[in-house]
Every structure is written in structure tokens, then in C-alpha cells.
């Protein structure tokens, strides 16, 4: 129980779903062979962590930040630039992390101290401004960042697809560098997720929830909410940067599209809301559902649309066109917010306490 | 210096309206002072100035020889100023026990402990249980604060201040809106505090019989000014109270 936090899922269905996701991710290379499924699994790991760190801010502390992708990007660019400029070695990965994490922490600290003493909405505006400025900067400094093209780079040999850790196969799967990379991502994400779970269940984490509920009362009890909010902001930024670093290692590439774009920020928001804010577990469920939908809904709709066409069903042909998948996702999102305002985790737990 | 609480020419203006108008007053440990005055007299605002929810336009707040005027509310709470609010202010979606426990945690200075699980801090939980017992809320411990009846919420409000173990207790109409059978729990608690010679207790209360039975001293606020200060019998009998207080709010006074 050392690494656990005594914060159980508190619902049978939820426990089963979480266990299924955990097992599927833990054995993904063997259960779903092929490069696309492994990509999806790694993305789920990374986003579950990224969304969980965002939940620390939104769901637990009650502050809205738009700078989360910026911190994700700092981690991603840190590792990318170190590997790109100084060669593919573990020490360069370490260098990237050693530069990126403190940078993320310092920026989060500065934003926090500057804006969290004022109204919470001011903080949101500042994060939006800083994140936009950072995105512009990253694309302008193309001599450094590669601009819109980003940077592709080599990773250390052990992590390369061509590398075989040993000859032979496990369950018919070659244990190559891709699989090693996947387990690096999976284990790091799982460990950091457990760390987050512990933080929200610590005395400090409890104060964050109090601040979310009533900043006024929290202050009257003697909690300095600016300090708490700033610490939460720094912690979330550090974890987001770590997730970004893992993302870079996984993709062998970092660019605005994969690590800085505002659409990632929207993805994070959708995932945390669908999963359930202020629960941590919601991040895992939200990320899993959303990324599965993102990757397979399109294909599903494509086949639905062609099936309907061949069966002669008089469907509006454009409706199920794969390009419309965002529309359907939007509708799903609105429905889920309408019917599960507390997210999937909140809904399941509610059902449990009523029964 | 001693552990007196003192306000000197304490003043706050909202636009042109002076809600608290150069109030100078000192409060001694072991003394329970009732603060009375008609609605809008500035009683709650006076409390807000003392505990730091509002910043004074002029004047000073001193406690135990230290000038607190420029300190934020949390730092004043840490100096020992405890507040129970007139408009109940709880953590609505957290349980009753958690509301109290957070209060205990604050006083014990456990602010930034990040890597330990909260439930392992048995000492905090045990102390919260004691307070729950004191305010007769043990049976409701696992209910969300928002789901409590009005009376229970008032008790929780008081419990959160007790859990702080402050040196100065500020009760703002603690029994307002409570049913008759709930009132004694709170009044007994206040009476018990009164016996502790090291505590300063300030009580805003409209009910005159409560004031008469509990207070060592009464001060009267009217239009933000301190208009009377003395032992209960004298103050209640004085013309200024008869006119300023009982005159303006006869229903509340006689209903008491
Ligand atoms: N934040 C504020 N902004 C503007 N005016 C305020 C503010 N707070 C209080 N006031 C005004 O100050 C005056 C004093 O209000 P206060 O709440 O202190 O009265 P009170 O004596 O506590 O009355 P009650 O018995 O009704 O609780 C009122 O006229 C009120 O409208
Ligand atoms: Mg009042």
C-alpha cells in the first residue's frame, strides 16, 4: 500500500472498467499487435497522464488554465531539441528533461505568482496569453525549433524499431525497440499517475479541494490560497512537461501539431469533462474513450456510410462521411455533458451511493 | 503587551457610505462581549475588518501587541482570530467531517504536506471527531455539508471555528434561523468558552435574553458608530439603546 493512496474507484463497474483499461494497456503489445494499435495505446497512456495533471487544476483546485499544452510542449521540445542537436543518447534525453522541467516549473511559478492573487478569471486570461505567445515564439524561432515542420530526431538505439532486445518472440511478438519504448512510456505514465493520485489524497490535496469549494472559507481557516494554487499549478506543469517528454520519445518527433496546438488544449478539456472532473480516474477513462474515438470512430463511420449506401438506406450521404467525425464527437460531447454533468466517473459513483 | 484585541479608529467606506466609522474599542481575555445594533449597523462589517476579509479605509486592528491591519485573512487566522460567519460559509460538497478536519488541519499547520495520505493523519481525524461530538454532528459526519438542514449547517459553521482553537472567537448571529431545540447546543458551547479565562469571545446577537444571560459587556453599533459600551443591565436600559436598537428593530428584539 506504499504507493497507493487509499483512494479506491468506489464503484464496482468503475473498478472493472479501470482494471480492463489497465490490463489492456499493460499487455497492449501482445494483445493488439501492429504499429497503429500500439500508437493508440501509447497515446492513451500519455494523455491519461496529461489529462490527470490538468484535473489537478480544473477538477481539484477549481482553476481554469489554457497553458497546459504549453507545458506539454516545453517537455516535448526539451527532449526533441537535445536529441536533435546533440545526438541520440540517454544523457541527451536526461539533458532535455533537466532543462525542460525547471523551465516549466519556473514559468508556472511566474504565471501563478503574477496572476493567482487576483481573480481566478485573470489567471485564465494570462495563461491564454502566455500560451499563445509561446506557440508563436516556437514557430518563429525556426532555426531552433524547426518552425511549423518541427523536429524529427533519432532516439537511443535501444528504443529504435530495428533493435531486438533478445532473439525470439514472446507470445508471437518480437520484443523490439518499439515495445521497449512502449513500456518506458507505460511505466512512466503509470508511476506519475500514482504520484498524482497520492498528491490529491494528501493533506495538501485536500486543501486544494477546499479552495475549489470556497476560497473565501479556506482563507478564513488560515490557508494561503495563492500559495496552494501556485503549487498546484507548478505540479501540474511539471507532470505535463514530463508527459510531453514521453510524447517526444515515443513519436521521435516534436512539432506544433503534436505538442503545442490549441486543439490539444481542447482535447484535454473534452477528456477531463467526459471522464469526470476532480476524480483522477476520470482522466484515464476520458482519455481512453476520446482517443479510441479519434482513431476508430472515423473508420467506423466510413464503413457505416458505405454499408448504408450499399444497402440502399436513404441516408444523407454526407452525414456519416468520415470527415464529419468531429461533428459526431461534438454531439457525443454535448450529450455526455447534458446527461453526465459529473462525467462518467461521477455518474457511476452517484449510482453507487444511491443504491 | 498582553493578549488584548483592539481596534483604533477603525473605519471603512463603501463609496460614500461609511459602514464602520472610527470604532475604538478593546477586548480582554476572559470576557464575552456582545455586539448589538439594528440591521445594517455595521456589526458584520466590523468583524470582517477585524478578521481581515475586508481592508480598513483607516484605523488599526491590534492583537497581542501586534498591528494586524495589513495582514491578509489567512495570516490573521493563524494569529488566532477565529470567525463563524453570519451567512453560512462551508465547503458544500465535502462531508461534514471533512469540513471540520480541514479546520483542524489548518490549525495544526499541516498546509503543504503532499506525499502522505490524509487518512494516515489519525491525529487530525481524532480531533475532528471530538469537535463533531461537541457540536452534536457525529451522526451526520459522512453527509455532504450542502445536504445538512439549516440548523445543522449553523452548528457546522460554529464547529469549524471551534476546531481552529482560536484565541478570539467571533460569532455572528450563531443561532439565527435555528429551531428552538437546536439553540441550546450552541449557547452551551459559548457559555463553556466563556469560562476559559484566556479566550476573547465576541458575539453578535439580536436576541436580548441571550445577550443578557451570556454577555459580560455589551457594545452598541449604530450607523457604523460605537454608541454605547458597558455592563449589560446599564446598556440595555440606556436611552440610546432603547431608541437606536429597540426602536429601529422592535420585532427582533421582542421576538427574542
Ligand atoms: N461589501 C460591501 N459593499 C458595499 N456595502 C456594504 C458591503 N458590506 C456591507 N455593506 C453595507 O454596510 C452596512 C453594514 O452592513 P453589515 O452587514 O455590517 O450590517 P450588520 O450590522 O451586520 O447587519 P445585520 O444585523 O443585518 O447582519 C450596510 O449598509 C451594508 O449594506
Ligand atoms: Mg450582520
Amino acid at each position: 500500500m506504499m504507493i497507493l493512496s487509499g483512494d479506491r474507484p468506489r464503484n464496482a463497474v468503475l473498478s472493472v472498467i479501470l482494471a480492463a483499461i489497465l490490463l489492456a494497456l499493460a499487455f497492449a503489445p501482445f494483445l493488439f499487435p501492429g504499429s497503429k494499435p500500439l500508437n493508440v495505446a501509447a497515446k492513451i497512456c500519455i494523455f491519461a497522464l496529461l489529462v490527470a495533471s490538468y484535473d489537478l487544476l480544473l477538477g481539484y483546485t477549481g482553476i481554469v488554465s489554457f497553458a497546459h499544452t504549453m507545458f506539454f510542449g516545453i517537455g516535448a521540445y526539451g527532449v526533441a531539441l537535445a536529441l536533435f542537436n546533440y545526438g541520440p543518447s540517454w544523457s541527451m534525453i536526461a539533458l532535455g528533461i533537466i532543462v525542460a522541467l525547471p523551465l516549466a516549473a519556473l514559468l508556472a511559478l511566474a504565471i501563478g505568482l503574477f496572476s493567482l492573487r487576483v481573480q481566478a478569471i485573470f489567471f485564465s486570461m494570462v495563461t491564454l496569453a502566455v500560451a499563445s505567445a509561446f506557440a508563436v515564439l516556437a514557430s518563429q524561432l525556426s532555426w531552433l525549433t524547426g518552425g511549423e515542420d518541427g523536429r524529427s530526431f533519432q532516439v537511443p538505439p535501444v528504443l529504435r524499431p530495428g533493435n531486438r532486445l533478445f532473439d525470439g518472440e514472446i507470445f508471437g511478438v518480437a520484443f523490439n525497440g518499439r515495445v521497449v519504448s512502449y513500456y518506458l512510456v507505460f511505466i512512466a505514465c503509470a508511476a506519475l499517475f500514482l504520484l498524482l493520485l497520492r498528491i490529491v489524497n494528501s493533506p495538501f490535496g485536500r486543501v486544494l479541494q477546499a479552495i475549489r469549494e470556497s476560497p473565501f472559507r479556506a482563507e478564513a481557516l488560515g490557508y494561503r490560497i495563492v500559495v496552494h494554487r501556485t503549487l498546484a499549478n507548478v505540479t501540474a506543469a511539471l507532470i505535463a512537461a514530463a508527459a510531453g517528454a514521453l510524447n517526444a520519445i515515443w513519436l521521435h518527433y516534436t512539432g506544433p501539431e503534436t505538442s503545442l496546438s490549441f486543439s490539444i488544449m481542447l482535447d484535454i478539456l473534452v477528456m477531463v469533462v467526459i471522464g469526470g472532473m476532480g476524480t483522477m480516474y476520470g482522466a484515464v477513462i476520458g482519455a481512453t474513450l476520446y482517443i479510441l474515438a479519434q482513431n476508430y470512430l472515423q473508420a467506423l463511420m466510413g464503413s457505416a456510410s458505405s454499408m448504408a449506401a450499399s444497402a440502399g438506406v436513404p441516408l444523407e450521404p454526407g452525414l456519416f462521411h468520415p470527415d464529419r467525425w468531429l461533428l459526431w464527437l461534438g454531439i457525443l460531447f454535448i450529450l455526455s455533458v447534458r446527461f453526465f454533468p459529473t462525467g462518467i466517473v461521477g455518474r457511476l459513483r452517484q449510482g453507487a451511493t444511491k443504491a | 503587551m498582553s493578549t488584548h484585541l483592539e481596534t483604533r479608529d477603525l473605519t471603512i467606506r463603501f463609496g460614500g457610505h461609511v459602514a464602520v466609522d472610527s470604532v475604538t474599542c478593546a477586548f480582554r481575555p476572559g470576557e464575552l462581549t456582545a455586539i448589538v445594533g439594528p440591521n445594517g449597523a455595521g456589526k458584520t462589517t466590523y468583524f470582517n475588518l477585524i478578521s481581515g476579509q475586508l481592508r480598513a479605509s483607516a484605523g488599526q486592528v491590534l492583537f497581542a501587541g501586534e498591528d494586524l491591519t495589513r495582514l491578509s485573512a489567512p495570516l490573521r487566522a493563524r494569529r488566532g482570530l477565529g470567525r463563524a460567519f453570519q451567512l453560512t460559509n462551508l465547503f458544500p460538497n465535502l462531508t461534514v467531517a471533512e469540513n471540520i478536519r480541514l479546520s483542524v488541519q489548518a490549525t495544526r499547520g499541516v498546509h503543504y504536506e503532499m506525499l502522505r495520505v490524509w487518512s494516515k493523519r489519525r491525529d487530525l481525524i481524532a480531533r475532528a471527531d471530538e469537535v463533531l461530538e461537541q457540536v452534536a454532528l457525529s451522526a451526520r459526519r459522512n453527509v455532504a455539508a450542502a445536504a445538512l438542514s439549516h440548523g445543522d449547517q449553523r452548528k457546522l459553521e460554529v464547529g469549524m471555528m471551534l476546531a481552529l482553537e482560536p484565541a478570539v472567537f467571533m460569532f455572528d448571529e450563531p443561532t439565527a434561523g435555528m429551531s428552538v431545540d437546536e439553540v441550546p447546543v450552541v449557547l452551551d458551547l459559548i457559555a463553556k468558552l466563556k469560562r476559559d479565562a484566556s479566550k476573547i469571545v465576541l458575539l453578535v446577537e439580536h436576541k436580548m435574553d441571550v445577550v443578557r444571560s451570556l454577555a459580560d459587556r455589551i457594545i452598541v453599533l449604530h450607523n457604523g458608530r460605537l454608541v454605547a459600551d458597558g455592563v449589560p443591565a446599564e446598556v440595555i436600559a440606556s436611552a440610546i439603546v432603547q431608541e437606536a436598537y429597540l426602536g429601529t428593530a422592535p420585532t427582533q428584539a421582542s421576538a427574542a
Side-chain angles (χ1 to χ4, degrees):
Chain A
M1 290 307 276
M2 259 304 288
I3 53 167
L4 298 180
S5 313
D7 180 11
R8 308 274 178 75
R10 299 206 307 274
N11 171 271
V13 181
L14 181 58
S15 308
V16 170
I17 296 174
L18 286 169
I21 293 175
L22 178 67
L23 287 175
L25 290 175
F27 298 106
F30 309 104
L31 294 172
F32 318 104
S35 80
K36 171 153 188 195
L38 203 59
N39 261 323
V40 171
K43 196 170 176 194
I44 289 175
C45 293
I46 291 166
F47 272 78
L49 179 64
L50 183 62
V51 173
S53 66
Y54 191 69
D55 195 22
L56 181 70
L57 292 182
L58 184 67
Y60 283 86
T61 319
I63 53 180
V64 181
S65 165
F66 294 109
H68 217 56
T69 38
M70 176 177 80
F71 297 119
F72 186 61
I74 288 175
Y77 273 100
V79 166
L81 298 185
L83 289 175
F84 179 83
N85 291 311
Y86 306 111
S89 71
W90 285 102
S91 47
M92 285 311 127
I93 291 185
L95 174 72
I97 291 173
I98 288 169
V99 172
L101 261 55
L103 180 66
L106 273 177
L107 253 174
L109 185 72
I111 294 176
L113 289 180
F114 173 65
S115 63
L116 278 170
R117 356 180 120 253
V118 203
Q119 296 233 329
I121 181 75
F122 184 63
F123 171 79
S124 306
M125 305 312 285
V126 169
T127 56
L128 191 57
V130 173
S132 311
F134 190 87
V136 171
L137 195 71
S139 75
Q140 293 293 306
L141 297 177
S142 48
W143 58 269
L144 179 69
T145 62
E148 288 304 314
D149 295 335
R151 289 290 190 217
S152 293
F153 48 87
Q154 292 272 312
V155 290
V158 201
L159 302 177
R160 289 180 200 159
N163 169 61
R164 286 292 185 91
L165 208 57
F166 44 81
D167 286 333
E169 302 181 329
I170 308 176
F171 302 117
V173 177
F175 213 86
N176 63 18
R178 261 340 241 171
V179 178
V180 176
S181 300
Y182 177 76
Y183 279 109
L184 175 70
V185 167
F186 173 76
I187 290 169
C189 288
L192 288 172
F193 180 83
L194 287 177
L195 176 68
L196 275 173
L197 200 58
R198 164 139 299 207
I199 290 174
V200 300
N201 286 295
S202 69
F204 170 78
R206 289 272 155 160
V207 178
L208 295 185
Q209 295 180 52
I211 292 172
R212 173 196 71 200
E213 293 288 308
S214 169
F216 178 85
R217 188 53 184 250
E219 285 203 304
L221 293 183
Y223 294 115
R224 298 173 78 181
I225 63 174
V226 180
V227 180
H228 278 92
R229 282 173 167 165
T230 303
L231 279 174
N233 196 36
V234 170
T235 309
L238 281 171
I239 305 259
L246 291 168
N247 195 44
I249 294 171
W250 176 253
L251 293 177
H252 305 184
Y253 166 78
T254 292
E257 271 304 296
T258 59
S259 62
L260 270 183
S261 81
F262 199 71
S263 74
I264 299 179
M265 195 60 241
L266 292 181
D267 291 348
I268 295 175
L269 276 166
V270 173
M271 290 183 226
V272 75
V273 170
I274 289 181
M277 292 189 282
T279 63
M280 280 296 147
Y281 294 114
V284 177
I285 293 189
T288 305
L289 280 181
Y290 187 86
I291 290 164
L292 284 179
Q294 204 176 38
N295 284 280
Y296 297 108
L297 197 60
Q298 260 176 306
L300 211 67
M301 282 170 46
S303 55
S305 136
S306 55
M307 256 165 60
S310 60
V313 182
L315 268 181
E316 168 60 39
L319 207 56
F320 282 104
H321 190 276
D323 288 351
R324 296 279 173 283
W325 88 277
L326 257 179
L327 171 78
W328 284 100
L329 200 71
I331 291 173
L332 276 180
F333 179 64
I334 291 168
L335 288 178
S336 91
V337 171
R338 170 66 186 78
F339 292 105
F340 312 126
T342 51
I344 293 171
V345 171
R347 183 71 194 81
L348 287 172
R349 283 180 174 171
Q350 227 170 17
T353 48
K354 262 181 203 150
Chain B
M1 286 274 299
S2 60
T3 49
H4 287 195
L5 172 68
E6 204 181 329
T7 69
R8 290 189 193 151
D9 295 320
L10 199 60
T11 303
I12 190 168
R13 284 179 281 272
F14 296 114
H17 178 64
V18 187
V20 171
D21 193 354
S22 0
V23 175
T24 299
C25 196
F27 307 97
R28 287 169 290 274
E31 188 179 68
L32 189 150
T33 307
I35 302 172
V36 302
N39 295 111
K43 305 179 296 291
T44 299
T45 307
Y46 186 50
F47 271 5
N48 282 336
L49 287 171
I50 294 175
S51 55
Q53 273 75 29
L54 290 172
R55 293 303 173 90
S57 312
Q60 288 171 296
V61 177
L62 298 109
F63 177 59
E66 186 187 5
D67 186 351
L68 304 185
T69 318
R70 303 185 144 272
L71 289 189
S72 63
L75 293 182
R76 293 190 204 190
R78 293 185 196 182
R79 299 289 193 286
L81 304 196
R83 218 18 230 288
F85 293 93
Q86 176 177 10
L87 297 175
T88 308
N89 202 306
L90 310 167
F91 303 121
N93 295 309
L94 306 183
T95 64
V96 171
E98 182 63 2
N99 270 268
I100 301 277
R101 202 197 57 80
L102 278 161
S103 197
V104 175
Q105 188 184 317
T107 345
R108 302 279 168 97
V110 188
H111 294 165
Y112 307 115
E113 208 170 276
M114 270 195 200
L115 294 177
R116 195 135 153 221
V117 177
W118 70 274
S119 53
K120 296 263 162 73
R121 290 299 302 250
R122 296 265 161 221
D123 51 330
L124 305 182
I125 297 173
R127 172 66 188 137
D129 286 344
E130 279 174 31
V131 177
L132 281 170
E133 197 69 45
Q134 283 181 329
V135 292
L137 283 174
S138 296
R140 310 286 284 156
R141 52 172 304 127
N142 292 323
V143 176
L148 289 180
S149 68
H150 173 80
D152 282 346
Q153 288 190 346
R154 297 300 296 157
K155 285 196 265 177
L156 182 53
E157 180 68 44
V158 168
M160 287 173 81
M161 174 167 64
L162 293 181
L164 276 181
E165 302 175 49
V168 179
F169 291 81
M170 286 180 261
F171 292 94
D172 200 344
E173 303 190 29
T175 63
M178 273 191 169
S179 67
V180 192
D181 50 321
E182 288 171 318
V183 171
V185 175
V186 173
L187 293 187
D188 288 352
L189 278 169
I190 300 177
K192 213 176 282 170
L193 287 177
K194 203 184 123 155
R195 271 176 248 136
D196 186 337
S198 67
K199 304 294 186 190
I200 296 172
V201 185
L202 307 184
L203 171 67
V204 170
E205 184 56 74
H206 279 296
K207 295 167 189 153
M208 273 306 155
D209 56 339
V210 171
V211 170
R212 207 176 271 122
S213 69
L214 282 176
D216 302 308
R217 171 190 178 196
I218 299 182
I219 64 174
V220 183
L221 289 183
H222 186 50
N223 289 332
R225 305 193 71 105
L226 183 70
V227 293
D229 180 352
V231 294
E234 271 173 36
V235 173
I236 291 172
S238 68
I240 198 149
V241 169
Q242 293 297 326
E243 182 213 336
Y245 184 69
L246 304 175
T248 337
T251 42
Q252 257 135 339
S254 54

